[in-house]
């Protein structure tokens, strides 16, 4: 999948929020791509754009999202319905609220299956749901229960089951573990890694938790202020971050081995996306800011096998 | 299920004190009001001793407290007593009129629900479009229109100008009263004896009054449904369903509406009392021979026992509806446990 010059705007009372600003991005088949950045940097918006699930007033104002050569941005409604769930699945932050409280678990599965596979009987759909639950390590009896009767971790597994039941090749996981406690979170990440291998999934793991990414991701994309700061192999980025923002981000992770007297933090606050700073969006917080950073926005350049958008690297 | 049964019994028991409190208020208000059954029976010019005699015969000369206790005791024996103005059992007078009112209010409620919920959901889906604004305007306008004026206008338009619907009564002249001996519910009766021309006649008579009642109350439900739908449409599970490729229409009218329906249902239980009040006015406008009109007539005549009897029946009806609403609530929402 490739994304070219994608911009997403949210027109609001006081102006336009440029949530995603001219992003170019590429995803490889079968990889786990960690998409990280602080709250409001546009990472979730980017994820939602891929399925055209932006809530109004959010709107894709320019660019293309090419999935297997076809542009999702200009796809007719009928085809996008086909795509959602069947080719690209998405799971969300809060498993507690992602299931309709008035429908049983099996109703969720059956509805999803019948919506995409014409001619499937309810009985067969039910059996498929049972198999899916079993493969997720959940007793099939849970199918007849309502969401409120299940635990958070169980519900997130159900969500992933719902996402995978139609056999998609791309899974967008939008902060899937934020609402889970640490132990359940670890189990869930293991499950995700396992499923990725079993179903040959490409996964976009959207998160602000660098630990999650370190555990799972093959490559990492760091976003800041609606733009991509750095893309590279996970190991490279952790060992040798090039972009000053990535350096700052990694430095602010508490490390139990180092005997830090005080946690390092980044000065300043995320940019105002209604009125973003001129030039590079990061320059007001950047320790290496130069004259050119204030006037001109850097483009993505290749350096040491990764992509980076910073004037330090030309 | 056992809990539900327990809940129903508790609720039914709770209606008993409610009815007694209501009854006490009505009892006192009626006696504080100027006029009494005697003056409406005998007119203003009857000699003093005749009036006294009549008061004694009706028991109105006794102390208020005695009358009150006597009446309560009578009600405890489930005896509604006899009218003070006509020679007629109160229970018989009410039973004759009850089916007409039930038929009218239930039809009105169905129309209210159907119009209100559907329009409200549609407006929420088409938020901030001309159709949404149109529906919201409709909601406010019908909410502000007095029931009787709405009734008069519908009579004028459909009964007089277009001349396509009858404007008064429950039946036309060609339908025999003997048709309705089984239950008194005309729709049910005509279906039971398979007299479909009579059924058609009855439905025609039912249209204007029930639409009047239904339209006026639908305004609240349009607004309520719209607001609830907007909330629900923002919920995570709606986006999640969209992400699974479920069709938009299914999401709005199945997933969202079912969730939005819960507070609507609560409102319906509460609004039913208002519907009964509207029925009194509608029945008067359309000469509908129901309890509402009976109540109004008997208030003019200060027929204490009949008025009190009707109030009890209306209160029980409202209590029953709100109980049914609670049961439906438990069926729709699996999280509700009694």
């Amino acid at each position: 999948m490739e994304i070219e010059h994608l911009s997403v705007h949210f027109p609001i009372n006081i102006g336009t929020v440029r949530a995603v600003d001219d992003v170019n991005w590429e995803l490889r088949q079968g990889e786990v791509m960690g998409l990280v950045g602080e709250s409001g940097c546009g990472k979730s918006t980017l994820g939602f754009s891929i399925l055209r699930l932006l809530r109004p007033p959010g709107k894709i104002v320019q660019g293309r999202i090419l999935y297997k050569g076809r542009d999702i941005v200009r796809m007719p409604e009928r085809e996008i319905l086909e795509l959602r769930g069947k080719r690209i699945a998405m799971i969300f932050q809060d498993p507690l609220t992602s299931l309709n409280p008035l429908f049983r678990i099996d109703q969720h599965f059956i509805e999803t299956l019948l919506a995409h596979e014409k001619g499937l009987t309810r009985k067969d759909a039910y059996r498929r749901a049972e198999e899916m639950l079993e493969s997720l390590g959940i007793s099939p009896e849970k199918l007849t229960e309502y969401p409120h009767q299940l635990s958070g971790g169980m519900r997130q597994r159900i969500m992933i089951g719902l996402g995978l039941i139609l056999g998609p090749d791309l899974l967008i996981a939008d902060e899937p573990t934020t609402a889970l406690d640490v132990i359940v979170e670890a189990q869930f990440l293991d499950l995700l890694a396992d499923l990725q291998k079993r179903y040959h999934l490409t996964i976009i793991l959207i998160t602000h938790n660098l630990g999650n990414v370190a555990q799972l991701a093959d490559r990492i994309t760091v976003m800041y202020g609606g733009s991509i700061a750095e893309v590279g192999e996970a190991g490279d980025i952790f060992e040798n971050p090039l972009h000053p923002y990535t350096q700052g981000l990694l430095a602010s992770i508490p490390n139990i081995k180092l005997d830090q007297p005080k946690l390092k933090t980044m000065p300043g606050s995320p940019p105002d996306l209604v009125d973003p700073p001129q030039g590079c969006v990061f320059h007001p917080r950047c320790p290496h800011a130069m004259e050119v950073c204030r006037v001109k926005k850097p483009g993505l350049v290749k350096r040491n096998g990764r992509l980076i958008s910073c004037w330090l690297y030309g | 299920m056992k809990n539900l049964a327990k809940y129903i019994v508790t609720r039914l028991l709770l209606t008993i004190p409610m009815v007694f409190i209501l009854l006490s208020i009505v009892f006192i208000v009626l006696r504080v009001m100027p006029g009494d059954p005697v003056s409406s029976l005998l007119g203003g010019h009857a000699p003093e001793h005749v009036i006294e005699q009549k008061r004694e015969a009706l028991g109105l000369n006794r102390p208020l407290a005695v009358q009150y206790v006597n009446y309560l005791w009578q009600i405890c024996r489930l005896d509604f007593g006899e009218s003070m103005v006509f020679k007629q059992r109160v229970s018989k007078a009410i039973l004759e009129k009850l089916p007409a009112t039930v038929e009218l209010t239930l039809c009105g409620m169905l129309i209210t629900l159907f119009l209100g919920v559907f329009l409200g959901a549609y407006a929420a889906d088409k938020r901030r479009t001309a159709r949404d604004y149109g529906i919201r305007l409709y909601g406010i306008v019908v909410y502000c229109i007095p029931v009787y004026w709405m009734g008069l206008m519908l009579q004028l338009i459909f009964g007089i100008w277009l001349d396509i619907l009858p404007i008064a009564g429950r039946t036309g002249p060609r339908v025999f009263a003997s048709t309705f001996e089984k239950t008194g519910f005309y729709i049910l009766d005509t279906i039971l004896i398979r007299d479909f021309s009579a059924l058609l006649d009855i439905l025609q008579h039912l249209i204007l009054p029930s639409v009047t009642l239904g339209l006026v109350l639908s305004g609240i439900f349009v607004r309520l449904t719209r607001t609830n739908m907007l909330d629900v449409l923002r919920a995570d599970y709606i986006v999640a369903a969209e992400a699974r490729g479920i069709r938009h229409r299914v999401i709005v009218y199945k997933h969202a509406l079912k969730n939005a329906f819960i507070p609507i249902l609560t409102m319906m239980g509460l609004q039913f009392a208002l519907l009964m009040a509207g029925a009194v006015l509608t029945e008067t406008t359309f000469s509908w021979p129901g309890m509402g009109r009976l109540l109004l007539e008997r208030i003019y005549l200060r027929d204490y026992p009949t008025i009190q009897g009707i109030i009890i029946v209306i209160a029980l009806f409202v209590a029953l509806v709100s109980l049914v609403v609670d049961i439906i609530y438990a069926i729709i929402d699996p999280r509700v446990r009694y």
Side-chain angles (χ1 to χ4, degrees), chain B residues 265-282:
Chain B
L265 206 62
T266 314
M267 191 66 166
M268 199 169 78
L270 295 172
Q271 290 296 322
F272 198 75
L274 211 67
L275 195 77
M276 294 301 296
V280 174
L281 296 169
T282 313

Side-chain angles (χ1 to χ4, degrees), chain A residues 23-239:
Chain A
V23 160
N24 292 295
W25 203 38
E26 174 230 13
L27 214 58
R28 294 173 197 155
Q29 181 90 41
E31 73 173 342
V32 177
M33 173 64 100
L35 183 54
V36 300
E38 53 200 14
S39 309
C41 72
K43 56 190 193 302
S44 287
T45 307
L46 186 59
F48 278 85
S49 308
I50 294 171
L51 273 179
R52 287 225 326 244
L53 283 175
L54 292 168
R55 300 272 98 184
K59 213 170 161 351
I60 298 174
V61 290
Q62 66 155 9
R64 299 203 292 172
I65 300 173
L66 294 173
Y67 171 79
K68 296 192 170 161
R70 301 186 36 240
D71 184 7
I72 291 177
V73 175
R74 279 160 201 87
M75 202 176 262
E77 196 62 31
R78 230 188 31 182
E79 284 173 53
I80 194 100
L81 274 179
E82 185 74 8
L83 207 70
R84 287 179 190 153
K86 194 157 187 182
R87 298 268 145 257
I88 305 176
M90 187 157 182
I91 57 172
F92 301 90
Q93 226 176 80
D94 194 349
L96 302 178
T97 55
S98 293
L99 291 161
N100 191 329
L102 303 187
F103 291 95
R104 288 196 314 265
I105 304 302
D106 60 338
Q107 291 172 305
H108 285 84
F109 276 101
I110 291 171
E111 181 184 44
T112 308
L113 281 165
L114 294 184
H116 288 276
E117 297 183 16
K118 306 279 170 280
L120 191 74
T121 63
R122 296 186 78 83
K123 219 171 154 187
D124 285 339
Y126 190 88
R127 201 156 47 231
R128 291 261 297 274
E130 278 183 330
E131 283 163 16
M132 176 52 82
L133 249 57
E134 259 167 43
S135 79
L136 293 170
I138 304 173
S139 151
E141 284 145 40
K142 299 286 179 199
L143 275 178
T144 53
E145 300 203 349
Y146 285 94
H148 72 274
Q149 294 167 297
L150 307 175
S151 69
M154 184 99 70
R155 278 190 251 184
Q156 192 59 299
R157 275 186 284 163
I158 300 266
M159 284 310 294
I160 231 186
L162 271 173
L164 298 182
I165 190 95
L166 293 161
D169 34 42
L170 174 60
L171 175 72
I172 304 170
D174 183 14
E175 312 229 7
T177 58
T178 309
L180 304 178
D181 65 64
V182 199
I183 292 169
V184 180
E185 175 176 11
Q187 289 169 347
F188 182 79
L189 290 175
D190 285 345
L191 177 70
L192 204 60
D194 178 42
L195 290 171
Q196 195 252 338
K197 279 190 209 90
R198 224 190 303 163
Y199 293 92
H200 310 290
L201 286 170
T202 310
I203 297 180
I204 300 177
L205 181 64
I206 302 171
T207 181
H208 58 246
N209 184 335
L210 289 162
N212 283 352
V213 176
Q215 207 174 328
L216 226 55
D218 302 314
R219 289 201 300 155
I220 292 176
T221 299
V222 181
M223 270 188 91
Y224 182 80
S227 305
I228 287 177
E230 189 169 3
V231 185
E233 299 292 325
D236 291 352
I237 289 206
F238 274 102
E239 265 162 42

Side-chain angles (χ1 to χ4, degrees), chain B residues 2-151:
Chain B
K2 200 181 157 198
N3 282 333
L4 186 61
K6 202 171 143 196
Y7 176 76
I8 292 173
V9 172
T10 319
R11 279 287 299 265
L12 288 176
L13 289 176
L14 276 174
T15 54
I16 295 174
M18 178 199 84
V19 166
F20 273 96
I21 292 168
L22 186 70
L23 204 56
S24 308
I25 295 171
V26 173
F27 189 92
I28 294 163
V29 168
L30 281 177
R31 270 120 187 122
V32 170
M33 252 176 15
D36 62 15
V38 177
S39 47
S40 54
L41 264 176
L42 303 175
H45 306 292
E48 200 63 40
H49 70 276
V50 180
I51 294 178
E52 237 3 87
Q53 218 174 1
K54 196 72 199 170
R55 282 176 66 85
E56 209 176 313
L58 293 174
L60 290 171
N61 58 340
R62 294 198 221 159
L64 212 52
V66 176
Q67 290 183 43
Y68 177 66
V69 171
N70 280 349
Y71 184 69
L72 285 191
W73 175 232
Q74 198 185 324
I75 290 297
C76 287
R77 293 181 324 231
L78 299 178
D79 176 8
F80 283 28
E82 185 153 335
S83 161
M84 283 187 179
V85 182
F86 300 101
K87 248 197 122 42
Q88 182 189 37
R89 301 297 301 173
V90 168
S91 52
K92 188 162 174 291
I94 293 176
L95 278 179
E96 258 173 28
K97 307 288 185 183
L98 182 66
T101 299
V102 171
E103 227 165 49
L104 175 65
T105 46
L106 289 186
C107 283
M109 172 122 273
L110 281 181
I111 292 173
T112 288
L113 261 188
F114 188 78
L115 267 181
V117 169
F118 183 75
L119 285 178
Y122 184 78
D125 184 27
K126 304 285 177 220
R127 185 178 183 202
R128 296 213 174 132
T129 63
R131 278 172 275 185
D132 177 27
Y133 290 123
I135 290 171
R136 285 161 74 184
L137 189 68
Y138 160 87
I140 295 202
V141 169
V142 293
Y143 182 61
C144 296
I145 292 178
V147 185
Y148 52 88
W149 191 80
M150 175 85 90

Side-chain angles (χ1 to χ4, degrees), chain B residues 198-252:
Chain B
L199 177 63
L200 187 70
D201 180 74
I202 281 152
L203 291 179
Q204 280 174 343
H205 279 81
L206 191 58
I207 289 176
L208 284 187
S210 55
V211 165
T212 302
L213 203 53
L215 275 183
V216 169
L217 277 176
S218 70
I220 308 174
F221 285 92
V222 165
R223 296 188 72 78
L224 184 73
T225 308
R226 184 179 171 278
T227 318
N228 281 314
M229 279 293 278
L230 286 180
D231 277 349
V232 173
L233 284 172
R234 266 194 290 270
D236 289 344
Y237 53 81
I238 297 297
V239 191
E242 244 174 299
R244 291 198 298 274
I246 312 288
R247 287 208 315 281
H248 182 71
R249 203 150 23 103
V250 177
I251 290 176
V252 173

